Amino acid sequence: MQEPTTFNMVSRLKLISNSVIESTLTYKELVPAIEKCLANFSAGKVVQPLRSVVPVEPHNGLLFSMCAHDTSEDVLALKNVALYPDNHKQGLSSHLTQVLYFQPSTGALLAVMDGESITAMRTAAASVVATKYLAKEDSKVLSILGAGVQAYSHAKALTSSFKFDKIFIWNRTQSTGEKFCEEIKHLAKVVKFCPSTKEAVCDADVIVTATFSSTPILHGQDLKESVHINSVGACTPHLRELDDRCMELCAVIADSRVSALAESGDIISAKKEVLCEVGNIINGEVEVNRTRRTLFKSLGIAVEDVTAANLVWEKVGKQQPVGF
Ligand SMILES: NC(=O)C1=CN([C@@H]2O[C@H](COP(=O)(O)OP(=O)(O)OC[C@H]3O[C@@H](n4cnc5c(N)ncnc54)[C@H](O)[C@@H]3O)[C@@H](O)[C@H]2O)C=CC1
Ligand SMILES: O=C([O-])C1=[NH+]CCC1
């Protein structure tokens, strides 16, 4: 009898596209699931090595490989991200990603999922969780720096969880920023493009930074006394989005302390301490004063992809069970 191998199982593999994932995943289900996985992660219930990053220098690309096993949920997956900021010139997304979803008991590959929507949505869901625990409860003004995929998912996720009266947008390219404002104008009473980051953030209660900038775009001198920042970009040691003053003023909370200290250009360059992981706050181990300046440093961790992929599997993948 022929032994089942990955190759002769291929006909039974589920391929799950972005469009299916977009019509399947909702923030209503994803946010609590991400909250739980961040709590599991900080409670030591997740096996997750630091992701590997291969620079593809001639093409200004990076290939990330991220894997985790959530032991309390028994879910196993691996995500690849090809991060090529110049891809837009060829009409391609800057992040090309796939999630491989495994049967933990055998290691059999059950599904290959498009990773773009999973990445966009799980990152925004993690920021919603951080905002829930760290921002002032009466936050009314949201500011987003950037107008790409993450800016969009954050606008959608944050407004589906909190009520903002005003959203201020800044983007390096004004025309793209204005187009983005038009797309999200239904999300708040006022949605306005601002020509400078100072104008965009000076009244903000909650700020999102989601760009490819390599130099600071958010400056401490422009922040209110009480503000919460979700810092989503600058996920490699040579990139920065926040200046030293901003880092000095804020209490820094990360998704993963290990990832933050190894990967965050802002934390490494400013020699900033990480107060705790957001999971420590969820688990009731640390309390943070919401009326001070707080910064959630999101690097993106594999267990978030594992969690999102598991929701997709439970909702659309399971109908055709895969097994030997
Ligand atoms: N923390 C996490 O879990 C994740 C973080 N990211 C990071 O978030 C950031 C945004 O990602 P996407 O929205 O998917 O990318 P995107 O390609 O859709 O958008 C990129 C944005 O950055 C802006 N930008 C590009 N170069 C810039 C510069 N030099 N200065 C200022 N703005 C610049 C563009 O105008 C655009 O608004 C990237 O740094 C990305 O690597 C992405 C996925 C997950
Ligand atoms: O977690 C993630 O998917 C990523 N973080 C930075 C680039 C992609």
Side-chain angles (χ1 to χ4, degrees):
M1 197 183 79
Q2 199 187 12
E3 296 238 328
T5 65
T6 297
F7 284 149
N8 62 25
M9 282 176 62
V10 159
S11 61
R12 285 177 282 167
L13 254 190
K14 292 286 283 180
L15 298 178
I16 306 179
S17 68
N18 263 330
S19 54
V20 169
I21 292 167
E22 268 163 29
S23 60
T24 302
L25 274 185
T26 63
Y27 286 111
K28 198 165 174 241
E29 288 167 307
L30 186 58
V31 169
I34 292 292
E35 178 166 340
K36 191 162 178 219
C37 87
L38 290 167
N40 285 345
F41 177 75
S42 297
K45 295 177 185 166
V46 174
V47 180
Q48 180 191 285
L50 189 64
R51 64 189 163 200
S52 71
V53 188
V54 176
V56 191
E57 272 171 16
H59 307 289
N60 190 25
L62 295 171
L63 186 62
F64 292 76
S65 179
M66 319 169 51
C67 185
H69 178 216
D70 187 331
T71 59
S72 68
E73 309 290 319
D74 199 18
V75 190
L76 178 68
L78 178 151
K79 182 172 84 168
N80 290 317
V81 183
L83 198 174
Y84 282 65
D86 302 333
N87 265 3
H88 289 302
K89 293 178 196 153
Q90 299 181 57
L92 289 172
S93 165
S94 56
H95 296 70
L96 297 174
T97 103
Q98 312 79 38
V99 178
L100 308 189
Y101 182 83
F102 299 98
Q103 185 178 51
S105 56
T106 61
L109 182 60
L110 300 180
V112 179
M113 304 182 191
D114 255 336
E116 275 107 81
S117 301
I118 286 179
T119 302
M121 292 183 74
R122 64 69 148 149
T123 309
S127 294
V128 168
V129 173
T131 304
K132 172 179 155 189
Y133 284 93
L134 296 169
K136 277 187 308 170
E137 267 153 23
D138 60 344
S139 294
K140 290 286 172 240
V141 180
L142 170 65
S143 164
I144 303 179
L145 308 185
V149 169
Q150 288 294 336
Y152 184 76
S153 62
H154 276 72
K156 234 179 134 187
L158 286 164
T159 55
S160 70
S161 305
F162 310 100
K163 176 138 182 43
F164 292 101
D165 292 338
K166 296 179 186 174
I167 306 180
F168 295 131
I169 305 294
W170 170 87
N171 191 52
R172 186 179 58 162
T173 312
Q174 180 160 347
S175 54
T176 316
E178 286 172 345
K179 202 165 146 230
F180 178 59
C181 288
E182 192 55 32
E183 267 176 62
I184 62 159
K185 67 180 180 199
H186 58 288
L187 297 179
K189 276 187 247 159
V190 175
V191 177
K192 193 178 135 204
F193 180 79
C194 300
S196 70
T197 58
K198 182 185 170 79
E199 286 163 89
V201 305
C202 63
D203 287 328
D205 301 307
V206 175
I207 300 173
V208 175
T209 60
T211 73
F212 274 122
S213 187
S214 52
T215 53
I217 49 168
L218 182 61
H219 303 277
Q221 67 189 25
D222 300 333
L223 300 176
K224 283 206 308 192
E225 279 289 310
S226 164
V227 63
H228 170 66
I229 303 163
N230 294 301
S231 160
V232 174
C235 295
T236 55
H238 67 285
L239 295 178
R240 293 215 59 178
E241 281 190 315
L242 317 174
D243 75 354
D244 282 350
R245 179 78 182 127
C246 183
M247 299 304 290
E248 187 188 319
L249 290 173
C250 295
V252 173
I253 293 92
D255 43 13
S256 151
R257 181 190 289 277
V258 170
S259 303
L261 296 174
E263 298 176 346
S264 163
D266 290 316
I267 290 174
I268 295 166
S269 303
K271 299 186 174 60
K272 181 73 185 181
E273 258 177 50
V274 175
L275 178 68
C276 64
E277 292 174 350
V278 71
N280 299 128
I281 302 174
I282 302 167
N283 291 333
E285 294 152 5
V286 181
E287 237 180 84
V288 175
N289 178 356
R290 290 163 178 272
T291 61
R292 63 171 295 189
R293 296 179 181 103
T294 52
L295 165 59
F296 172 52
K297 182 56 233 169
S298 160
L299 281 311
I301 53 175
V303 71
E304 297 165 347
D305 301 301
V306 165
T307 301
N310 191 47
L311 275 180
V312 173
W313 176 256
E314 292 291 328
K315 289 181 85 175
V316 293
K318 236 181 172 175
Q319 278 83 319
Q320 288 180 6
V322 181
F324 294 114

